[in-house]
């Protein structure tokens, strides 16, 4: 593959296969950062991470370092490029903290910026007098991202000035976010801890989001874990199926029929989800205090409605995946063509008893952490495909399964859970972003 401007992107994706260069070409990765990550709405964080004026977190959107900060007005949350308007140095190195009086000081020459990104002062200001320097020129500040949007406390930003508004972009995935928040008796969630887990993958960013809805792998890649759970359940027939650990892990040893019935829904812009009526986390009888607090706020019928809405995983393409029923979000951080960091964040349901948070943390520990029973199985599979793509051991990645059997409902495609539609739908969006006139 040659330089970015020589790539024939259209030739890399066909109906039932994608070329290995989508995972292994540095030129393709560079274009992805510009055309997908530079245009889509990307998940930044949650407002509960910056509760007081001057509170901030730092992160990256694609390869762009940013600061999310609560402005000194107490209401506005700004997302700024973490770059100094003087010569471009990174301003904030901490992952989170509090900027006293809402001011950031660049560690190189000491320029000071307000929490809206504007330049406040420079040391020894006489050097800038009568030299044509305009302190109020935004170019000398920490640039504000062109678009920032907040949906029910979840902060998204776009590096592009144009495109659909946040609610239009999120589309049907808003229902998953709504459901996560509605599960809180107080109607709000908040982040727990500074970060749940940070999992470094030595492979391309797309493997993680493709695997999320690849329902053909759990019964093979996670067979050892699934078998162990089944053996435990058989050895303890006197206890019910609602045991916490079994509830979390058992589906990873589920049958092909289990995942087929779960189904997949492919939404516009690469978003999608599995599950709905059939998924995991439907045992609430073991949490009577939680049920009582929900009944008190919503009544029994609405509580049943909220808790039976049970999607397995919702992908907000390309930057995050949401589990409403377990209150967790995983965030995709591309580093290079063959390096990615997956962050796993957990949320507390405000007004819910502690055992609901324990349940969320248990899931994160058992499934999402680098030392979990499940995540390393997946990682070893991604690594093998990355190696095959880089060494040219293969030319194409196959996507034939149940090709041509999708059902179309407006701009949505549905299929049984083990269909490769889940991946084909992502590449439908990938092409739309990547091919520009
Ligand atoms: Fe920041 Fe010079 S690079 S003050």
């Amino acid at each position: 593959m040659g330089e970015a401007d020589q790539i024939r992107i259209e030739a890399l994706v066909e109906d039932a296969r994608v070329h290995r260069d989508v995972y292994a070409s540095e030129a393709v990765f560079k274009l992805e950062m510009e055309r997908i990550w530079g245009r889509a709405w990307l998940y930044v964080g949650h407002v509960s991470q910056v509760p007081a004026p001057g509170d901030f977190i730092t992160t990256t959107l694609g390869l762009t370092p940013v600061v999310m900060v609560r402005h000194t007005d107490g209401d506005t949350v700004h997302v700024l490029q973490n770059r100094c308007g003087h010569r471009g140095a990174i301003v904030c190195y901490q992952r989170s903290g509090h900027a006293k009086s809402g001011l950031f000081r660049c560690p190189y020459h000491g320029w000071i910026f307000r929490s809206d990104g504007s330049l406040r002062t420079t040391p020894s200001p006489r050097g800038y007098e009568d030299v044509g320097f305009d302190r109020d020129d935004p170019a000398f500040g920490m640039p504000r991202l062109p678009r920032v949007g907040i949906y029910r406390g979840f902060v998204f930003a776009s590096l592009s000035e144009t495109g659909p508004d946040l609610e239009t972009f999120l589309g049907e995935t808003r229902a998953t976010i709504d459901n996560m928040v509605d599960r809180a008796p107080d109607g709000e969630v908040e982040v727990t801890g500074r970060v749940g887990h940070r999992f470094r993958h030595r492979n391309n960013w797309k493997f993680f989001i493709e695997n999320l809805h690849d329902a053909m792998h759990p019964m093979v890649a996670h067979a050892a874990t699934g078998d162990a759970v089944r053996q435990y359940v058989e050895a303890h027939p006197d206890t019910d199926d609602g045991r916490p650990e079994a509830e979390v892990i058992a589906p990873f040893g589920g049958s092909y029929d289990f995942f087929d019935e779960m189904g997949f829904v492919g939404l516009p812009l690469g978003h999608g989800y599995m599950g709905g009526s059939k998924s995991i986390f439907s045992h609430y009888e073991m949490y009577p205090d939680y049920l009582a607090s929900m009944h008190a706020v919503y009544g029994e019928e609405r509580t049943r409605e909220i808790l039976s809405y049970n999607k397995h995983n919702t992908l907000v393409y390309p930057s995050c995946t949401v589990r409403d029923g377990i209150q967790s979000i995983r965030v995709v951080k591309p580093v290079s063509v063959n390096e990615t960091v997956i962050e796993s964040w957990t949320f507390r349901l405000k007004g819910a008893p502690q055992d609901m948070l324990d349940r969320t943390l248990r899931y994160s520990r058992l499934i999402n952490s680098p030392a979990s029973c499940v995540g390393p199985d997946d990682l070893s599979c991604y690594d093998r495909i990355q190696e095959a793509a880089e060494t040219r051991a293969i030319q194409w990645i196959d996507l034939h399964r149940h090709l041509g059997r999708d059902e179309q409902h407006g701009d949505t495609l549905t299929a049984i859970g083990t269909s490769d539609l889940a991946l084909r739908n992502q590449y439908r969006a990938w092409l739309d972003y990547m091919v520009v006139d």
Side-chain angles (χ1 to χ4, degrees):
M1 184 62 70
E3 289 304 308
D5 58 3
Q6 297 174 322
I7 297 173
R8 282 191 56 234
I9 292 296
E10 302 94 321
L12 300 180
V13 177
E14 299 180 358
D15 284 348
R17 61 182 191 170
V18 294
H19 193 266
R20 62 175 177 77
D21 278 350
V22 305
Y23 304 102
S25 162
E26 291 189 10
V28 170
F29 178 78
K30 189 174 163 191
L31 275 188
E32 288 177 334
M33 293 304 104
E34 180 185 314
R35 295 181 182 176
I36 301 176
W37 293 79
R39 292 160 69 196
W41 284 95
L42 307 173
Y43 179 69
V44 185
H46 189 266
V47 292
S48 60
Q49 293 172 272
V50 291
D55 286 352
F56 70 88
I57 64 161
T58 60
T59 184
T60 52
L61 299 180
L63 300 182
T64 303
V66 300
V67 182
M68 180 175 91
V69 56
R70 174 80 63 176
H71 189 40
T72 44
D73 68 5
D75 289 330
T76 316
V77 173
H78 288 299
V79 181
L80 315 172
Q81 283 197 39
N82 193 0
R83 291 285 179 197
C84 172
H86 183 211
R87 293 185 186 163
I90 293 282
V91 176
C92 275
Y93 284 92
Q94 305 106 299
R95 291 201 183 278
S96 62
H98 176 77
K100 195 175 173 190
S101 304
L103 299 175
F104 295 104
R105 183 173 181 268
C106 178
Y108 195 1
H109 306 100
W111 284 25
I112 292 176
F113 305 93
R114 301 181 185 91
S115 53
D116 63 0
S118 59
L119 175 61
R120 180 174 182 262
T121 51
T122 63
S124 189
R126 67 179 180 278
Y128 291 105
E129 290 169 5
D130 304 322
V131 295
F133 179 80
D134 178 4
R135 181 186 314 282
D136 297 326
D137 185 340
F140 295 123
M142 293 171 69
R144 260 193 257 171
L145 263 64
R147 293 186 297 157
V148 177
I150 301 176
Y151 186 75
R152 298 203 69 175
F154 296 88
V155 182
F156 291 79
S158 174
L159 294 157
S160 169
E161 291 179 2
T162 59
D165 62 42
L166 177 60
E167 293 208 3
T168 304
F169 172 85
L170 291 174
E172 199 182 318
T173 68
R174 279 180 295 160
T176 300
I177 296 173
D178 288 340
N179 183 257
M180 188 202 290
V181 180
D182 289 346
R183 285 166 180 263
D186 288 355
E188 286 183 350
V189 296
E190 64 181 1
V191 161
T192 57
R194 293 193 170 181
V195 63
H197 298 285
R198 188 169 279 114
F199 198 170
R200 186 168 292 273
H201 292 187
R202 302 285 180 191
N203 46 60
N204 189 267
W205 64 274
K206 295 186 291 298
F207 286 122
F208 170 75
I209 57 172
E210 290 173 14
N211 183 69
L212 191 79
H213 293 147
D214 177 335
M216 287 299 291
H217 82 278
M219 52 296 279
V220 181
H222 306 308
T225 300
D227 287 348
V229 171
R230 264 193 298 276
Q231 286 167 20
Y232 178 84
V233 170
E234 284 166 15
H236 300 80
D238 51 327
T239 51
D240 65 34
D241 278 339
R243 275 156 300 160
E245 281 76 13
E247 179 195 37
V248 170
I249 297 178
F252 289 88
S255 67
Y256 294 101
D257 286 345
F258 172 84
F259 286 102
D260 271 343
E261 287 173 30
M262 195 180 282
F264 174 77
V265 178
L267 303 168
L269 298 173
H271 310 326
Y273 63 87
M274 291 191 74
S277 59
K278 180 161 184 158
S279 186
I280 54 178
F281 305 110
S282 47
H283 298 289
Y284 290 91
E285 61 277 12
M286 69 177 93
Y287 304 111
D289 292 345
Y290 174 57
L291 282 179
S293 59
M294 289 289 282
H295 289 162
V297 175
Y298 293 108
E300 290 197 19
E301 190 178 336
R302 176 65 181 140
T303 297
R304 199 165 24 252
E305 197 176 286
I306 292 169
L307 298 184
S308 62
Y309 184 98
N310 222 345
K311 288 179 177 162
H312 185 54
N313 266 309
T314 296
L315 168 63
V316 182
Y317 188 89
S319 71
C320 72
T321 73
V322 186
R323 288 296 308 260
D324 45 15
I326 199 63
Q327 297 91 53
S328 85
I329 286 188
R330 282 186 284 178
V331 187
V332 182
K333 302 288 181 188
V335 177
S336 68
V337 66
N338 55 12
E339 188 172 358
T340 309
V341 172
I342 305 298
E343 291 182 350
S344 175
W345 294 87
T346 50
F347 293 82
R348 187 173 79 84
L349 298 170
K350 285 192 175 180
Q354 175 66 28
D355 52 7
M356 295 308 294
L357 178 58
D358 293 343
R359 176 176 175 267
T360 297
L361 297 175
R362 186 184 307 120
Y363 182 90
S364 187
R365 192 172 64 246
L366 289 173
I367 306 300
N368 292 345
S369 93
S372 73
C373 307
V374 172
D377 296 338
D378 296 321
L379 185 58
S380 76
C381 296
Y382 312 157
D383 286 348
R384 291 165 207 218
I385 307 173
Q386 183 73 39
E387 183 195 12
E390 288 182 359
T391 59
R392 301 172 180 242
I394 51 156
Q395 288 298 312
W396 295 91
I397 307 289
D398 178 70
L399 306 177
H400 269 94
R401 192 170 169 80
H402 290 291
L403 179 68
R405 297 175 189 156
D406 312 331
E407 289 184 26
Q408 180 119 25
H409 311 274
D411 55 7
T412 297
L413 295 169
T414 62
I416 60 173
T418 62
S419 170
D420 281 341
L421 169 63
L423 280 69
R424 292 192 296 268
N425 191 57
Q426 290 180 30
Y427 280 100
R428 187 169 61 142
W430 189 90
L431 269 183
D432 283 345
Y433 277 114
M434 291 286 281
V435 177
V436 291
D437 298 329

